[in-house]
C-alpha cells in the first residue's frame, strides 16, 4: 500500500538556520500520526513544509505516492488541508463565515456551493445562525470549528493539524478533539497532528514521532507511551513533565 | 532571611478579600467581570483556576491595582496586612506594589523593558524601594539571579531581554519581582508560555523561594492539574464567581460539577476515553 | 415611525446572528456609522462636504450672476453688498457666483486625483508587499524617486512638460500623490501577508493575483480611504497653488486658486477679491480634514474589530 505521506531526508533552512535536519516520516492512509516536541523542535515546520509553506532545501515529500515539486498544484490542495493553531489569527477579520467557506469552493469551481456550505456547517456542529457572522462575533471554539469546516469543505483525504486546541480552554478543547475524531471516523481521514501535549497525542494518535531541535528522537506507538516503554531520555523527560509538578522535599 | 517563620504563621491572614466586584462599562451596558469574590490568603500557595472569562485574571489585577481606569471596583473588604487597598492613595498603592506585593505576568517578553539590560532593571527595582548603594544593589541583584538558578549571573546581568530564552526571561522576571523581598506575590499564568520541561524548572524555583521566604502566593492559571500539583489550596472560578474552594490534595473529591467536568474533560495518558466527556454548562452555575 | 420600529430595526442591524449576507453587511456599516456620528467634529466635516456637493450640483440655480461675464462698466471691484454678497472682481464679475461655480472645479480636481492616485498606490503597494524580492525592490525604488521631490515642485515640472491647463494639473497632482498610498498599502500588506488567514487561503490553492485582489486589498482600503481624505486638503491647495502660478486652470475658468492669483494685485485695497476664494478653500480643506479624522476613528482596523 502506498503511504499517505512519505517524507525522506527533509531539510528546511530559514536564513541559514537549519530548522529540519534530514527528517524521515511515513504515514499510512487512514492513520492518525502525532508529532511531539518542544518549541524549536521543528514539528510545526515539518507540517508546514508538507503543506508547502516552508522553504525546503533538500529531501523529498510524497503524498499518496505522488512526489511533490516545489510548487503545489490545485489537485494537491484537494487532497491535503490544514487547521492552524490560533483560531483568532486563521480567519480573515473582514469576512463572514459564509464568505470564508465560499472561497475554496470558488477557487476549485464547485457549482453546488450552497449545499456544501450548509453541510459543512452542520458537520462541525454550527447551525445556520453562524453563517453570516464575522469571526469577531465567534468564540475561540466556534472559530476553530469554522476553520475545520473550511478545511473539510474540499473533501481532502489528509488533514494537517497544527496544535489545533492549544489556544482553547480545556472544556472547549475536549469538544474540538471529539469533533476531529468524529470527522476522521466518518470520512476515513488521515491525520498528521502536531502538539506539545503528550496526553493529547496519545489520545488522538496511533503512532507518533518525538522531535528535538530539527531531528527525530524516536518513533513510538501511542501504547508505548502509555506503558512507558521509551528508550530516549528526552522522551522520558517529556513524560515526566506531563505528570505535573512534583515537590522535591 | 529577614523573617522569622514562627512569627509569620501566627499572624492573621495576609490578604482579605470580601465581595470583590469588578465592572466594565461598555457600549452595550455593564459587564461584570468579577461578581462577589471572597477569600483570604495566609502565607500559603493559593491557586485560582478558571477558563477564559472566568474573572480570575481580573481578580488578580484588582488586588494589584492594575485594573484599567474605566473599570469600577467595589468590595466590602480588600485588605492587605490590615491596609485597606481601596482607600489608600495612589502613591501609597504604588509603593506597596513591588515593595510588599509583586506580580509576575505570563510572557516575560512583554513585561520586561526591551531596551534596558536585565541586571539594570533588577537594580532599578531594588533602588526604587530601598536606599542602597550602587555596588550593594549590584551584588544583591547578582545574588538574586543566582537564587533563580541562572548559571552565569554576571553574563545574564548585562543581557537584554530579547537575548535570552523564554525560561531565562521568566526567571529574570521572578528575580526582579523578589528582589525587594515582597510578602505576597501574584503570578498570572507564569509558565503558560513556556515549554513543559522548562515550566517545571521555573515552578520549582518559584516553589522554593516562596517556601523559604514564607511568602503568600496567588497562582492564577487555567490548568487545574498543574495548579493542584503546585498549590496548597485551590479556588475554582466560573463566570466571575467562586464556585468551589478546596484543598489541592482533595481535588479528587471535588463536589461542584464544573470542577469535576474540568478535571474530566482533559485527555490523560493511559485513559482510553473516546469521546472525551464534555462539560455541560448549566446556567445556574453562573447565577 | 414609532419608537418600537426604530428599536426593532436597530436590533436587527446589531444582531449577533445575521440571517443573510445583506444583514451582516448593513450591520457592520451601521456600527461604523454609529462610531462616526458619535464624533461631532467629524459630523461637521461630513456636513461641509455634503454642502460642497449640493452647491456644486446646484451652482446654476444658486448663482445670482454669470461666473464668466461681468459688468465691466459699472461693477468693477465693488465691495461686498446686498447685491454682490462677496463683491465683484476687476472684470466686474460677481465673486459669489464664481465661487459657487468654482466648487465644481474643486470637486473635479479632488475626485479625479483620488480616482487616479489611490488605485495606483493600492496596486503598487500591495503587489510590492505581497510579491517581495525583486518586484518589491523595483516598485519601491520607483516610489522613492517620486517621494524624493517636493510634491509641488514635481507637479510644476509635469505641468511645465505637459502644458498648462486644469486636466494636466489633475494629472500632475495624481502622478505626484500616489507614492504615499503605495507606502501605506505596502506596510499594511507586510503585516498581513504572513498571517495564518492568508496562509489558509494559499492552502486553498488561490493564485497570488486572487489573494492580493480579494484578501489583501480589502484590508488596506480603510487606511487608504482615511489617508486620501486627509490628503484632500493638500490636493485642493496644490491645485490652487498651480492655479495661482498660472499653470493650472486658465482664466476665465472660475477655479479658486486662479481667482486668488488674479486677486493678489488688489489684496490690500480690495481684500475680498482674493479673500473670498481663500476662505472657501479654507472651509473645504477643514471639512475634508475633519471627515478624515472621523473616518480614522470609525474605520481604523487597529481600533478593534467591533
Amino acid at each position: 500500500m502506498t503511504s499517505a505521506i512519505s517524507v525522506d531526508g527533509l531539510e528546511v533552512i530559514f536564513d541559514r538556520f537549519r530548522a529540519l535536519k534530514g527528517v524521515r516520516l511515513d504515514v499510512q492512509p487512514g492513520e492518525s500520526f502525532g508529532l511531539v516536541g518542544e518549541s524549536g523542535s521543528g514539528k510545526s515546520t515539518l507540517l508546514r513544509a508538507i503543506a508547502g509553506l516552508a522553504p525546503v532545501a533538500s529531501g523529498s515529500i510524497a503524498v499518496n505516492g505522488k512526489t511533490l515539486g516545489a510548487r503545489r498544484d490545485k489537485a494537491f490542495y484537494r487532497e491535503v488541508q490544514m487547521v492552524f493553531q490560533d483560531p483568532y489569527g486563521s480567519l480573515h477579520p473582514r469576512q463572514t463565515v459564509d464568505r470564508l467557506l465560499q472561497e475554496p469552493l470558488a477557487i476549485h469551481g464547485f457549482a453546488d456551493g450552497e449545499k456544501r456550505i450548509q453541510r459543512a456547517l452542520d458537520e462541525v456542529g454550527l447551525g445556520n445562525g453562524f453563517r453570516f457572522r464575522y469571526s469577531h462575533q465567534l468564540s475561540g471554539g466556534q472559530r476553530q470549528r469554522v476553520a475545520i469546516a473550511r478545511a473539510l469543505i474540499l473533501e481532502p483525504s489528509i488533514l494537517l493539524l497544527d496544535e489545533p486546541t492549544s489556544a482553547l480552554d480545556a472544556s472547549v478543547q475536549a469538544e474540538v478533539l471529539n469533533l476531529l475524531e468524529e470527522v476522521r471516523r466518518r470520512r476515513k481521514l488521515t491525520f498528521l497532528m502536531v502538539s506539545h501535549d503528550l496526553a493529547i497525542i496519545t489520545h488522538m494518535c496511533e503512532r507518533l514521532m518525538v522531535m528535538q531541535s530539527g531531528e527525530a528522537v524516536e518513533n513510538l506507538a501511542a501504547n508505548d507511551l502509555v506503558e512507558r516503554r521509551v528508550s530516549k531520555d528526552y522522551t522520558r523527560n517529556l513524560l515526566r513533565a506531563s505528570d505535573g509538578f512534583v515537590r522535591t522535599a | 532571611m529577614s523573617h522569622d517563620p514562627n512569627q509569620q504563621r501566627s499572624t492573621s491572614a495576609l490578604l482579605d478579600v470580601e465581595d470583590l466586584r469588578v465592572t466594565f462599562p461598555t457600549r452595550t451596558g455593564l459587564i461584570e467581570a468579577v461578581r462577589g469574590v471572597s477569600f483570604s490568603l495566609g502565607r500559603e500557595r493559593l491557586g485560582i483556576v478558571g477558563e477564559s472569562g472566568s474573572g480570575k485574571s481580573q481578580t488578580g489585577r484588582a488586588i494589584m491595582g492594575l485594573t484599567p481606569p474605566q473599570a469600577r471596583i467595589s468590595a466590602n473588604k480588600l485588605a492587605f496586612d490590615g491596609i485597606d487597598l481601596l482607600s489608600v492613595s495612589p502613591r501609597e498603592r504604588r509603593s506597596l506594589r513591588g515593595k510588599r506585593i509583586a506580580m509576575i505576568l505570563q510572557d516575560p517578553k512583554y513585561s520586561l523593558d526591551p531596551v534596558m539590560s536585565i541586571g539594570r532593571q533588577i537594580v532599578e527595582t531594588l533602588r526604587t524601594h530601598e536606599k542602597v548603594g550602587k555596588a550593594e544593589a549590584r551584588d544583591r541583584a547578582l545574588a538574586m539571579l543566582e537564587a533563580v538558578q541562572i548559571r552565569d549571573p554576571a553574563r545574564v546581568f548585562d543581557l537584554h531581554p530579547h537575548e535570552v530564552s523564554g525560561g531565562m526571561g521568566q526567571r529574570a522576571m521572578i528575580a526582579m519581582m523578589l528582589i525587594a523581598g515582597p510578602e505576597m506575590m501574584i503570578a498570572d499564568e507564569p509558565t503558560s508560555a513556556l515549554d513543559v520541561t522548562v515550566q517545571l524548572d521555573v515552578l520549582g524555583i518559584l516553589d522554593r523561594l516562596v517556601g523559604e521566604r514564607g511568602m503568600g502566593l496567588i497562582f492564577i492559571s487555567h490548568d487545574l492539574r498543574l495548579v493542584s500539583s503546585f498549590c496548597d489550596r485551590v479556588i475554582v472560578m466560573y463566570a466571575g464567581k467562586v464556585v468551589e474552594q478546596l484543598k489541592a490534595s482533595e481535588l479528587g473529591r471535588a463536589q461542584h460539577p464544573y470542577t469535576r467536568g474540568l478535571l474530566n474533560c482533559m485527555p490523560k495518558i493511559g485513559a482510553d476515553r473516546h469521546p472525551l466527556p464534555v462539560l455541560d454548562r448549566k446556567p445556574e452555575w453562573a447565577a | 415611525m414609532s419608537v418600537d420600529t426604530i428599536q426593532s430595526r436597530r436590533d436587527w442591524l446589531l444582531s449577533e446572528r445575521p440571517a443573510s449576507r445583506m444583514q451582516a453587511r448593513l450591520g457592520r456599516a451601521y456600527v461604523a456609522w454609529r462610531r462616526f456620528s458619535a464624533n461631532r467634529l467629524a459630523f461637521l466635516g461630513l456636513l461641509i462636504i455634503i454642502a460642497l456637493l449640493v452647491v456644486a450640483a446646484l451652482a446654476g440655480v444658486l448663482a445670482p450672476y454669470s461666473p464668466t461675464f461681468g459688468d465691466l462698466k459699472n461693477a468693477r471691484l465693488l465691495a461686498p453688498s446686498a447685491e454682490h454678497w462677496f463683491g465683484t472682481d476687476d472684470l466686474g464679475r460677481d465673486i459669489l457666483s464664481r465661487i459657487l461655480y468654482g466648487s465644481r472645479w474643486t470637486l473635479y480636481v479632488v475626485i479625479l486625483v483620488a480616482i487616479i492616485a489611490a488605485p495606483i498606490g493600492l496596486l503598487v503597494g500591495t503587489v510590492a508587499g505581497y510579491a517581495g524580492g525583486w518586484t518589491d525592490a523595483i516598485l519601491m525604488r520607483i516610489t522613492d524617486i517620486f517621494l524624493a521631490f517636493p510634491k509641488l515642485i514635481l507637479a510644476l515640472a509635469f505641468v511645465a512638460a505637459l502644458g498648462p491647463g486644469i486636466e494636466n494639473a489633475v494629472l500632475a497632482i495624481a502622478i505626484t500623490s500616489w507614492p504615499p498610498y503605495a507606502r501605506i498599502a505596502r506596510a499594511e500588506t507586510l503585516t498581513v501577508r504572513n498571517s495564518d488567514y492568508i496562509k489558509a487561503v494559499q492552502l486553498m490553492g488561490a493564485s497570488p493575483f486572487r489573494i492580493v485582489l480579494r484578501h489583501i486589498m480589502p484590508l488596506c482600503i480603510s487606511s487608504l480611504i482615511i489617508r486620501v481624505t486627509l490628503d484632500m486638503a493638500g490636493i485642493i491647495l496644490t491645485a490652487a497653488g498651480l492655479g495661482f502660478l498660472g499653470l493650472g486652470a486658465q482664466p476665465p475658468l472660475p477655479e479658486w486658486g486662479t481667482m486668488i492669483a488674479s486677486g493678489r494685485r488688489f489684496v490690500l485695497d480690495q481684500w475680498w477679491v482674493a479673500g473670498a476664494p481663500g476662505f472657501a478653500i479654507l472651509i473645504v480643506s477643514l471639512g475634508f480634514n475633519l471627515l478624515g479624522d472621523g473616518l480614522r476613528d470609525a474605520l481604523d482596523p487597529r481600533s478593534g474589530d467591533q
Side-chain angles (χ1 to χ4, degrees):
Chain A
M1 197 157 65
T2 50
S3 308
I5 303 169
S6 161
V7 172
D8 200 14
L10 189 67
E11 296 253 343
V12 169
I13 300 175
F14 295 106
D15 294 331
R16 298 210 192 115
F17 171 71
R18 278 175 82 202
L20 283 183
K21 304 164 186 167
V23 173
R24 240 190 93 86
L25 176 75
D26 199 67
V27 182
Q28 295 304 313
E31 186 182 25
S32 176
F33 194 96
L35 296 172
V36 185
E38 300 191 291
S39 51
S41 65
K43 56 188 192 308
S44 285
T45 308
L46 175 52
L47 211 64
R48 284 171 183 254
I50 294 169
L53 297 174
V56 172
S58 66
S60 71
I61 304 171
V63 166
N64 293 334
K66 220 178 108 196
T67 305
L68 302 174
R71 289 192 69 92
R72 308 285 192 265
D73 55 10
K74 270 191 177 179
F76 168 80
Y77 299 114
R78 290 182 63 168
E79 280 304 308
V80 182
Q81 278 298 322
M82 182 159 167
V83 176
F84 292 84
Q85 173 175 13
D86 178 15
Y88 294 87
S90 67
L91 302 184
H92 196 285
R94 293 283 166 108
Q95 293 177 358
T96 58
V97 172
D98 178 62
R99 175 80 208 283
L100 283 163
L101 295 180
Q102 220 154 43
E103 191 66 11
L105 298 174
I107 292 167
H108 291 268
F110 283 92
D112 54 344
E114 191 66 17
K115 227 170 62 201
R116 275 171 186 267
I117 291 174
Q118 295 269 13
R119 207 168 55 213
L121 283 173
D122 286 341
E123 187 169 11
V124 297
L126 294 175
N128 235 344
F130 293 90
R131 183 162 168 192
F132 298 104
R133 290 201 198 183
Y134 289 94
S135 54
H136 65 81
Q137 294 170 316
L138 303 173
S139 70
Q142 289 165 347
R143 287 177 197 224
Q144 207 60 316
R145 283 172 194 268
V146 171
I148 293 170
R150 176 176 60 185
L152 291 178
I153 207 160
L154 289 175
E155 300 183 344
S157 65
I158 300 170
L159 214 51
L160 307 174
L161 303 164
D162 188 1
E163 305 243 17
T165 60
S166 69
L168 304 176
D169 278 327
S171 60
V172 181
Q173 163 172 295
E175 290 166 16
V176 171
L177 290 180
N178 287 345
L179 169 66
L180 285 170
E181 278 199 315
E182 197 187 310
V183 297
R184 176 170 164 241
R185 201 174 48 238
R186 196 181 313 138
R187 297 187 173 218
K188 303 188 172 51
L189 297 175
T190 307
F191 276 3
L192 180 57
M193 181 171 186
V194 161
S195 179
H196 66 279
D197 189 331
L198 285 179
I200 291 179
I201 291 291
T202 51
H203 176 80
M204 294 290 292
C205 305
E206 288 112 42
R207 289 199 300 145
L208 61 116
M209 180 162 87
V210 182
M211 295 184 69
Q212 186 190 15
S213 43
E215 284 170 300
V217 174
E218 60 181 326
N219 278 285
L220 297 165
N223 250 337
D224 294 338
L225 271 186
V226 174
E227 285 155 26
R228 317 243 151 185
R229 278 196 309 257
V230 302
S231 53
K232 297 290 191 318
D233 282 345
Y234 181 73
T235 316
R236 213 163 281 138
N237 272 337
L238 282 181
L239 255 176
R240 193 174 325 125
S242 65
D243 287 340
F245 180 74
V246 180
R247 188 158 291 128
T248 47
Chain B
M1 228 169 309
S2 57
H3 304 285
D4 172 8
N6 292 326
Q7 187 199 329
Q8 286 156 17
R9 300 285 178 227
S10 61
T11 51
S12 63
L14 197 56
L15 179 76
D16 253 316
V17 181
E18 212 182 293
D19 198 27
L20 174 70
R21 290 170 189 276
V22 180
T23 313
F24 289 89
T26 67
R27 237 178 340 110
T28 45
L30 295 176
I31 290 179
E32 290 188 289
V34 180
R35 309 183 299 155
V37 165
S38 306
F39 64 91
S40 68
L41 173 81
R43 308 208 179 251
E44 60 179 335
R45 306 175 193 86
L46 172 72
I48 299 183
V49 186
E51 298 190 296
S52 47
S54 62
K56 58 183 192 303
S57 288
Q58 287 306 332
T59 304
R61 281 163 192 269
I63 297 166
M64 266 319 262
L66 295 176
T67 310
Q70 76 272 19
R72 282 206 303 270
I73 302 180
S74 74
N76 286 347
K77 194 172 179 189
L78 184 63
F80 168 74
D81 198 17
I83 306 166
D84 181 7
L85 289 178
L86 289 181
S87 63
V88 296
S89 71
R91 235 190 93 185
E92 277 175 275
R93 192 93 194 244
R94 266 204 304 281
S95 78
L96 274 177
R97 211 153 51 210
K99 172 74 188 145
R100 299 188 65 193
I101 311 176
M103 187 165 194
I104 305 180
L105 296 170
Q106 180 171 356
D107 200 336
K109 248 181 255 146
Y110 302 114
S111 30
L112 290 169
D113 184 341
V115 295
M116 207 190 271
S117 78
I118 287 171
R120 244 190 82 201
Q121 294 188 46
I122 300 176
V123 167
E124 295 266 315
T125 314
L126 178 59
R127 282 164 60 96
T128 20
H129 296 294
E130 271 178 61
K131 284 209 174 93
V132 287
K134 273 197 179 145
E136 195 202 332
R138 189 188 156 85
D139 287 345
R140 278 178 61 183
L142 285 171
M144 198 65 232
L145 284 174
E146 219 174 330
V148 293
Q149 289 173 18
I150 288 177
R151 257 170 248 131
D152 191 353
R155 190 179 66 90
V156 175
F157 189 92
D158 291 319
L159 293 181
H160 285 78
H162 66 91
E163 294 171 303
V164 301
S165 66
M168 184 83 87
Q170 200 58 300
R171 288 174 208 211
M173 189 72 205
I174 294 175
M176 189 164 117
M177 285 301 145
L178 290 181
I179 188 87
E183 291 147 74
M184 182 174 95
M185 172 132 85
I186 300 173
D188 189 356
E189 306 266 7
T191 59
S192 306
L194 307 177
D195 279 327
V196 273
T197 49
V198 184
Q199 194 172 346
L200 291 191
D201 290 343
V202 171
L203 284 179
I205 293 162
L206 201 58
D207 183 57
R208 190 171 50 79
L209 291 173
V210 166
E212 275 176 12
R213 291 162 188 241
M215 287 163 47
L217 173 72
I218 297 179
F219 188 96
I220 300 169
S221 173
H222 67 281
D223 190 336
L224 187 50
R225 258 189 280 162
L226 184 74
V227 168
S228 61
S229 66
F230 182 78
C231 296
D232 307 316
R233 212 151 53 86
V234 180
I235 290 177
V236 182
M237 282 186 72
Y238 181 78
K241 291 194 154 184
V242 175
V243 295
E244 191 158 18
Q245 278 203 50
L246 41 97
K247 274 193 186 154
S249 53
E250 290 169 2
L251 199 67
R253 274 176 271 159
Q255 293 300 315
H256 199 280
Y258 177 67
T259 318
R260 296 164 67 120
L262 217 50
L263 270 172
N264 269 332
C265 69
M266 286 198 267
K268 293 181 190 72
I269 297 177
D272 197 21
R273 297 172 303 161
H274 298 272
L276 287 166
V278 294
L279 206 58
D280 187 16
R281 287 157 204 276
K282 299 262 170 20
E284 63 261 26
W285 297 351
Chain C
M1 218 176 333
S2 74
V3 178
D4 276 358
T5 57
I6 292 175
Q7 183 60 38
S8 71
R9 248 174 230 195
R10 176 177 305 159
D11 287 346
W12 183 79
L13 282 170
L14 292 177
S15 165
E16 286 281 296
R17 298 179 157 252
S20 68
R21 232 158 275 175
M22 255 273 276
Q23 191 185 355
R25 214 168 284 155
L26 286 175
R28 201 176 169 82
Y30 179 65
V31 168
W33 167 248
R34 285 230 302 202
R35 242 198 323 211
F36 178 82
S37 54
N39 182 339
R40 287 208 188 150
L41 279 176
F43 201 73
L44 177 68
L46 182 68
L47 288 183
I48 292 175
I49 304 310
I50 290 175
L52 177 70
L53 290 171
V54 170
V55 164
L58 303 179
V61 183
L62 293 174
Y65 300 91
S66 155
T68 40
F69 297 101
D71 186 352
L72 261 176
K73 225 193 216 154
N74 307 317
R76 283 191 74 235
L77 296 170
L78 293 180
S81 65
E83 236 152 279
H84 300 280
W85 288 3
F86 289 174
T88 61
D89 67 4
D90 55 332
L91 296 174
R93 296 172 295 196
D94 179 51
I95 291 180
L96 174 65
S97 305
R98 281 179 69 74
I99 286 178
L100 293 180
Y101 275 98
S103 66
R104 288 184 175 174
W105 293 105
T106 301
L107 267 181
Y108 172 85
V109 169
V110 156
I111 291 174
L112 268 183
V113 168
I115 288 179
I116 299 170
I120 295 177
L122 184 64
L123 190 71
V124 170
T126 49
V127 167
Y130 186 72
W134 278 106
T135 320
D136 183 30
I138 291 170
L139 286 176
M140 289 332 281
R141 289 306 77 74
I142 294 173
T143 312
D144 285 345
I145 292 171
F146 277 92
L147 277 174
F149 297 96
K151 216 161 147 183
L152 188 60
I153 305 281
L154 199 59
L156 275 176
F158 276 115
V159 179
L162 297 169
I166 194 150
E167 294 85 3
N168 289 343
V170 166
L171 212 57
I173 298 171
I175 289 171
T176 56
S177 47
W178 66 267
Y181 305 148
R183 287 252 141 183
I184 291 173
R186 177 173 175 271
E188 203 92 344
T189 306
L190 287 181
T191 60
V192 301
R193 66 175 278 199
N194 285 325
S195 66
D196 280 351
Y197 56 84
I198 297 298
K199 294 259 185 279
V201 188
Q202 286 174 353
L203 281 184
M204 304 276 112
S207 62
F209 178 72
R210 189 181 179 96
I211 294 174
V212 168
L213 199 70
R214 303 195 46 141
H215 298 271
I216 291 182
M217 279 191 182
L219 286 171
C220 302
I221 277 179
S222 56
S223 41
L224 215 62
I225 288 177
I226 293 159
R227 180 61 198 251
V228 169
T229 319
L230 287 173
D231 275 0
M232 288 293 186
I235 292 169
I236 294 172
L237 292 177
T238 311
L242 286 177
F244 180 81
L245 294 172
L247 294 168
Q250 296 301 304
L253 219 54
E255 198 269 330
W256 294 348
T258 320
M259 287 168 70
I260 298 179
S262 57
R264 77 181 189 279
R265 278 172 290 152
F266 342 101
V267 75
L268 290 179
D269 301 314
Q270 284 87 22
W271 52 268
W272 57 87
V273 182
F279 196 67
I281 291 175
L282 183 82
I283 294 287
V284 172
S285 303
L286 183 72
F288 274 115
N289 262 332
L290 293 177
L291 180 70
D293 267 346
L295 284 177
R296 170 156 53 204
D297 295 339
L299 293 180
D300 193 349
R302 273 168 292 271
S303 67
D305 256 323
Q306 273 289 326

